[in-house]
Every structure is written in structure tokens, then in C-alpha cells.
Amino acid sequence: MVTVVRSDHYRVLAWGRLFLSCGTGFVCMMLVFISESTRIFPFVSTLCSLLYLQAAVFGALVPWRGRAPSRRKACFWKSILVFLAALTVAWCMMYLLDGMAFLRESECRATQNTAMPVRIAGLTRWQCVRWKKPHAISRTPKDGDAVLEAQCSTPFHALDVPSEVGNVTVWMPSQQAHYVRCPPSCQRFNLANEVVGCHIYDSRSSVCAAAVQMGVVRSAEGGLVMVVGRAP
């Protein structure tokens, strides 16, 4: 290989073809990143481009016409070679582990424009939204969250969570889902009937009175309700 890279023709052809390989390798790399499933041929093409680029850099380190590269240039090309080698290893590892930052959702393919993954503020999971079809967002409490044993007067403020604003801790409305158990007969004894809103309630409203007003529990029985917070 050393004999080949010392040839004048090799250097001209290698550096001339390098521009084509870099362009093709970049396109193939994008195909791997944005594809809906693992693509082996674009991956191999990108890998070959990286290996070819390393061979071209190695050729710059070989003495040409009896003249070795200067110490400064040799150090520069060695640094580039080490970087390309590390990039090649990282590329193979990312491909094998399928841990690159792209969207691959087998149940939400964007092929033929039938669906699209959508990220909604306040939600931790991507939503698969299909064209011309209504999409319901399911919100459930986290596993292990305790049920809030509410009183008749318990407001939505009871679900607030602390938040750091600068150096000050303030209490903000929770944007998660929570289970709340309401006692029975609150309206019968005229306890905590203050409700502001309809389906979406002011945080000063009574949780249990809002549940009765919405029709999810009966006034005389009480019961378990789910409260979903939203940004103020």
C-alpha cells in the first residue's frame, strides 16, 4: 500500500475522488439518520467513505518524492487521522445500538404522508397523529403516585408542585395527572361548593365540587377522580 500511495497518479486521483466520496457519504449518512427503519446499504456506504478518507489522509503522511512531510504537517494529519478513526468507531457503535437521534417509530410511519410524530408541550411522549383523524391524548398518573385523600374544600392548589425561579422557590400548578378520592355528601351539607369553570377549572375551585359539576362522581357517593393539570 505504501508503494501505491507514493505514486503521483494516486495522489491526484485520491484527492479528486475525495470530493465525490464526501458528498456521497454525507447523503448516505442523512439517509441512515432520517430513515424509518435501519438501512444497511447507506450505512455501509458511509463507512466506506470514512475509510477512504482515512486512506487519503494516511497518504499525506507518506514521504513523496523523497521528501517527508514537516513535523507540523505530520502532527496535523495524524490528528485528523485519529479523529476520523474515532468517528468511524462511533458510527459503527451508534448504528449497532440504534441510539442515534432520529425518529423511528414502527407504528407511526410517515411514508406516503399518512401520519406524523408530534411533540406536544407538557407531554413526555411523542404522539402519533394521523391525517384527517381525531387524536385523543391519554394522560395517566405515574406508577407509584399516591392517591390524594381530599376533603370537600380541597382546591386544585393542593396539587401544586415547587419550582425554582431564580433563587426563589415558588409553587406552580402541576401539569401531570393525579388521582384524587372525594368524600361523599359534600353538597348535601353545603360544604365547598365554589366552582369556577366548566371542564377546565380555576385552581381555587374545589376538586370534588368540580367533579360533581362535571358529572364524573355522584354527590352522595363521592369516589375516585383523575385530575390533569395544565400550564397557567
Side-chain angles (χ1 to χ4, degrees):
M1 179 178 180
V2 175
T3 304
V4 174
V5 298
R6 291 175 62 182
S7 171
D8 293 343
H9 297 290
Y10 169 81
R11 287 180 177 267
V12 174
L13 293 174
W15 291 103
R17 185 185 173 190
L18 186 60
F19 293 100
L20 297 176
S21 296
C22 288
T24 305
F26 178 78
V27 172
C28 292
M29 181 180 292
M30 291 299 100
L31 289 176
V32 174
F33 269 96
I34 66 176
S35 63
E36 294 176 350
S37 60
T38 304
R39 302 292 184 185
I40 184 64
F41 292 110
F43 165 75
V44 173
S45 179
T46 305
L47 183 61
C48 290
S49 298
L50 289 173
L51 294 176
Y52 180 77
L53 186 57
Q54 292 177 66
V57 173
F58 178 78
L61 292 172
V62 177
W64 184 36
R65 293 180 179 177
R67 297 175 55 187
S70 65
R71 188 172 183 180
R72 186 176 180 179
K73 287 185 177 180
C75 184
F76 171 76
W77 288 117
K78 287 180 181 179
S79 301
I80 297 296
L81 190 61
V82 171
F83 171 76
L84 291 174
L87 182 61
T88 303
V89 174
W91 176 249
C92 295
M93 291 181 63
M94 286 190 299
Y95 183 82
L96 294 176
L97 297 176
D98 201 26
M100 290 175 285
F102 48 72
L103 299 178
R104 284 182 180 169
E105 182 61 52
S106 59
E107 298 180 358
C108 188
R109 293 179 176 271
T111 305
Q112 298 179 353
N113 244 8
T114 59
M116 178 177 293
V118 177
R119 184 68 179 270
I120 301 175
L123 301 182
T124 57
R125 296 184 60 185
W126 288 84
Q127 304 292 314
C128 181
V129 180
R130 303 189 181 280
W131 299 112
K132 299 181 180 180
K133 293 184 179 180
H135 178 75
I137 299 175
S138 177
R139 302 286 295 276
T140 56
K142 297 180 180 179
D143 295 337
D145 282 359
V147 177
L148 175 62
E149 300 292 342
Q151 300 178 357
C152 295
S153 59
T154 300
F156 289 95
H157 272 309
L159 300 172
D160 289 357
V161 293
S163 177
E164 295 292 335
V165 180
N167 296 326
V168 181
T169 301
V170 296
W171 289 84
M172 302 290 292
S174 171
Q175 299 185 37
Q176 302 298 323
H178 305 272
Y179 283 128
V180 179
R181 181 173 285 107
C182 293
S185 304
C186 288
Q187 280 66 35
R188 178 182 177 185
F189 297 105
N190 198 27
L191 300 173
N193 290 324
E194 181 181 0
V195 176
V196 179
C198 183
H199 292 273
I200 299 176
Y201 298 95
D202 188 275
S203 58
R204 296 167 295 178
S205 303
S206 166
V207 175
C208 297
V212 173
Q213 189 263 357
M214 195 174 177
V216 294
V217 296
R218 295 183 179 181
S219 175
E221 300 176 359
L224 188 68
V225 298
M226 185 175 67
V227 176
V228 179
R230 58 179 296 174

